[in-house]
Amino acid sequence: MFGLDTLGRYVKLMQRTFSKPDNWRMFWRQLPKEMVKLGVDSIGIILIISIFMGAIMLMQTILNTESPFIPRYSNGLILRDTMLLEFASSIMSLLLAGKVGSNIASEIGSMRITEQIDAMEIMGVNSANYLILPKVVGLILCMPVLVTFSVFCGLLGGAGIAVFTDMIPLADFVYGIQYAFIPFYYTYSMIKGLFFGFIIASVSAFYGYYAYGGALDVGRASTNAVVNSSIAILLMNIILTRLMLT
Amino acid sequence: MIEVKNLYKSFDGKEVLKDISATFKSGEINQIIGQSGSGKTVLMKSIIGLFRIDRGQIWYGDRNLTDMTRKEIKLLHQEVGMLFQGAALFDSMTVLENVMFPLEMFSKTTKKEKIERSRFCLERVNLKSTQVSSLFPSEISGGMQKRVAIARAIALNPKYLFCDEPNSGLDPVTALVIDRLIEGITQEYNITTIINTHDMNSVMEIGANIIFIEKGVKAWEGSKDDIFTAHNEALDNFVFASNLYKKIRTSQTGK
Ligand SMILES: Nc1ncnc2c1ncn2[C@@H]1O[C@H](COP(=O)(O)OP(=O)(O)O)[C@@H](O)[C@H]1O
Ligand SMILES: [Mg+2]
């Protein structure tokens, strides 16, 4: 990912990807399919992980901030801002890089090694555009929903702790998650989600598209896709935070 | 007609093709034969423009591929059909969708006409379109996959048809069926067809114009009838590698 040569090939592939589709009708047909495959099918795992992480994060903050000087509702506030600022965008994107990224890389990679991509090129189809654009656009469109959903599930997990344990009264928790809400944090989270969605889909597609060899190489491509899109997300996270919050 | 002139191609300094010149005629089967690794696939993909060549010219009629812009190559590709070694059917699509794919991309006809055209192409390669249309590539045999791939390749009425080892992995009977099919289609629609093969049966069945590639160099050209009397050492080593062909030569020439 970080070699200049690799970066150059990535940029070139993106230029081909973001050109005008040979046939818009085919693009509009692919887009919803990709949104289901990449977005809708990820809802389950996001649901489970966000609920449990929301629950455990609330428990940890309560356990570690027990002090007469800190009001109890502040635990709800901390959970809300952690979910909003980092978990729902960054951590969830790392998770998606593993699930969606490997899926994209192995799908495109196996099309490459079985010459399906060559077959498209021979027909005069811009294969990068046909295969990659709907994935990138589809995932980007899904991200705001997924991020919002993740925040919601995290708070739900916290509410579960409030309801089912005596660690924090529900009223305090509910008060806390509404206290001193900064709307820009939501915008910040959305913007990060959009960037990360782009990174996951495009970097993974890149590794799949340039796979060469056999089935083993497709596996390698998909590992590379996950590792490198995760690194790119972590770097981009620092850059975006520096730009938007400091 | 396709004319290749003084074509050179290397990968990272390693020369794979050296000074290849050849003429491929329309309405006839042109074959590129040679051992595995001799450069057949690279030559074919270079002619099509999937590989950028180092030097040389590739003429499609009066158009030189090496002078074409990316857009012109794209348009040329809509006149080209290709049959890949492993069929290369899109495995997320049904048989009918595979054949319809090039039509959906580029044809201005109505949906009904596209389906009809696809059905026609499937029937043309002797498949019952009602039976196979809704199956996925993984659900049909290798020979049927090849036929579907041919149907897809001819969907847009190509002027040029490229086949990379069309009968590899097929039993001799099915291989012959595929060969005959390609020959029939070539003659019927006056297509310029180029076939890569190392299968001598296929050469003796349908090879009209043959070029023999040995280690990236064109070592011989002629028709299937000239092969037994060519007296070219490299070619003889290739052709008479099997006892069967040695026996045929003995029975024909007494040697
Ligand atoms: N993409 C590539 N990069 C580097 N070398 C290649 C590539 N494709 C083919 N070659 C080399 O070119 C030579 C000819 O290969 P090929 O044309 O596939 O042979 P065949 O006659 O069996 O089709 C081989 O030595 C192969 O290693
Ligand atoms: Mg080959």
Side-chain angles (χ1 to χ4, degrees):
Chain A
M1 180 70 203
F2 304 107
L4 270 186
D5 171 49
T6 314
L7 193 65
R9 286 201 303 162
Y10 171 77
V11 171
K12 264 213 175 115
L13 182 66
M14 285 307 112
Q15 280 171 349
R16 290 199 68 205
T17 301
F18 286 91
S19 52
K20 190 172 147 291
D22 293 302
N23 187 323
W24 279 103
R25 210 166 39 82
M26 296 293 264
F27 172 79
W28 292 117
R29 192 190 295 178
Q30 289 303 104
L31 187 63
K33 283 190 201 163
E34 298 295 349
M35 287 176 75
V36 169
K37 200 162 55 184
L38 305 179
V40 178
D41 288 355
S42 302
I43 285 180
I45 189 165
I46 292 175
L47 175 93
I48 291 172
I49 294 193
S50 302
I51 285 185
F52 279 88
M53 287 308 291
I56 196 70
M57 283 193 297
L58 183 69
M59 289 170 76
Q60 292 287 12
T61 44
I62 293 172
L63 291 172
N64 291 292
T65 56
E66 245 172 321
S67 148
F69 303 109
I70 303 174
R72 270 187 303 193
Y73 69 76
S74 62
N75 291 303
L77 175 147
I78 292 171
L79 176 64
R80 180 198 72 207
D81 283 352
T82 318
M83 288 306 297
L84 211 46
L85 289 173
E86 285 309 323
F87 187 89
S89 51
S90 315
I91 306 292
M92 196 211 42
S93 291
L94 290 175
L95 204 93
L96 284 182
K99 181 185 180 290
V100 174
S102 61
N103 174 300
I104 291 177
S106 57
E107 180 186 323
I108 296 183
S110 63
M111 289 189 74
R112 163 63 75 193
I113 63 158
T114 55
E115 296 186 302
Q116 292 177 49
I117 291 183
D118 287 330
M120 268 183 200
E121 289 289 323
I122 290 293
M123 291 173 192
V125 175
N126 178 344
S127 60
N129 175 272
Y130 176 80
L131 292 173
I132 303 175
L133 191 64
K135 293 188 194 300
V136 174
V137 174
L139 188 58
I140 288 179
L141 289 178
C142 287
M143 283 310 273
V145 180
L146 296 181
V147 171
T148 310
F149 181 68
S150 171
V151 174
F152 176 77
C153 290
L155 296 181
L156 206 65
I161 294 301
V163 170
F164 295 113
T165 73
D166 56 0
M167 295 178 77
I168 182 172
L170 183 61
D172 281 358
F173 176 75
V174 172
Y175 178 72
I177 62 174
Q178 297 171 63
Y179 183 81
F181 175 63
I182 303 171
F184 180 70
Y185 283 4
Y186 185 70
T187 315
Y188 162 79
S189 202
M190 287 296 120
I191 292 175
K192 287 211 299 187
L194 298 180
F195 273 89
F196 297 163
F198 173 79
I199 289 174
I200 294 168
S202 65
V203 172
S204 306
F206 169 76
Y207 281 97
Y209 197 82
Y210 288 110
Y212 176 78
L216 221 56
D217 301 276
V218 174
R220 195 168 302 135
S222 111
T223 308
N224 280 335
V226 175
V227 171
N228 289 299
S229 53
S230 300
I231 294 173
I233 286 170
L234 294 169
L235 282 177
M236 185 56 85
N237 194 18
I238 303 272
I239 296 171
L240 289 176
T241 304
R242 177 88 180 99
L243 287 177
M244 288 193 286
L245 288 188
T246 57
Chain B
M1 193 167 84
I2 298 175
E3 251 185 302
V4 173
K5 290 181 183 164
N6 311 101
L7 185 153
Y8 288 80
K9 169 72 194 164
S10 59
F11 290 105
D12 307 319
K14 187 184 128 211
E15 264 198 341
V16 175
L17 297 174
K18 286 175 272 277
D19 199 18
I20 306 259
S21 297
T23 303
F24 304 102
K25 295 179 194 153
S26 60
E28 289 182 21
I29 296 287
N30 303 277
Q31 280 182 329
I32 302 171
I33 65 171
Q35 287 183 16
S36 285
S38 56
K40 302 184 296 292
T41 301
V42 173
L43 177 56
M44 182 170 272
K45 289 189 173 175
S46 300
I47 294 173
I48 303 168
L50 281 181
F51 288 143
R52 184 173 285 277
I53 61 172
D54 303 349
R55 259 187 295 153
Q57 300 173 344
I58 298 158
W59 292 90
Y60 282 80
D62 54 5
R63 296 169 294 174
N64 185 358
L65 182 83
T66 45
D67 291 338
M68 288 187 200
T69 61
R70 187 161 209 143
K71 210 169 161 197
E72 287 168 331
I73 293 178
K74 238 174 106 81
L75 288 175
L76 172 72
H77 280 166
Q78 291 171 30
E79 301 172 17
V80 170
M82 179 151 180
L83 178 58
F84 287 87
Q85 207 164 333
L89 296 177
F90 305 129
D91 40 32
S92 60
M93 301 180 197
T94 64
V95 164
L96 188 72
E97 286 167 345
N98 263 281
V99 180
M100 239 164 74
F101 183 79
L103 297 166
E104 298 235 56
M105 272 301 185
F106 299 113
S107 170
K108 300 273 184 290
T109 55
T110 63
K111 171 127 195 182
K112 192 163 157 282
E113 287 168 319
K114 285 172 192 161
I115 293 176
E116 266 166 25
R117 172 72 190 160
S118 308
R119 292 239 156 91
F120 171 83
C121 292
L122 284 170
E123 301 283 346
R124 181 64 189 82
V125 297
N126 305 327
L127 289 169
K128 290 263 168 297
S129 68
T130 44
Q131 285 171 17
V132 294
S133 284
S134 55
L135 297 176
F136 283 91
S138 57
E139 296 170 326
I140 58 178
S141 71
M144 281 163 98
Q145 288 180 3
K146 286 275 164 73
R147 282 196 249 185
V148 175
I150 297 175
R152 183 179 69 181
I154 62 171
L156 280 174
N157 270 318
K159 291 202 185 89
Y160 311 96
L161 182 63
F162 294 86
C163 309
D164 195 4
E165 312 216 352
N167 41 28
S168 71
L170 300 181
D171 64 85
V173 177
T174 312
L176 192 63
V177 171
I178 297 290
D179 278 346
R180 286 273 158 73
L181 206 53
I182 295 171
E183 187 184 43
I185 287 168
T186 300
Q187 291 166 352
E188 186 178 336
Y189 304 113
N190 196 32
I191 300 172
T192 304
T193 298
I194 303 182
I195 298 177
N196 274 352
T197 189
H198 53 206
D199 177 9
M200 274 311 295
N201 292 335
S202 173
V203 173
M204 297 316 292
E205 277 298 329
I206 58 170
N209 296 304
I210 301 163
I211 67 169
F212 171 65
I213 305 279
E214 153 89 354
K215 297 196 183 89
V217 178
K218 187 177 87 174
W220 181 82
E221 70 183 304
S223 78
K224 65 180 182 210
D225 305 317
D226 310 330
I227 274 194
F228 285 168
T229 52
H231 303 298
N232 175 307
E233 199 186 328
L235 180 68
D236 286 355
N237 287 339
F238 176 74
V239 173
F240 302 111
S242 87
N243 285 328
L244 175 63
Y245 281 93
K246 275 186 200 134
K247 278 187 190 138
I248 295 173
R249 174 171 59 179
T250 312
S251 73
Q252 284 203 347
T253 62
K255 278 195 283 183

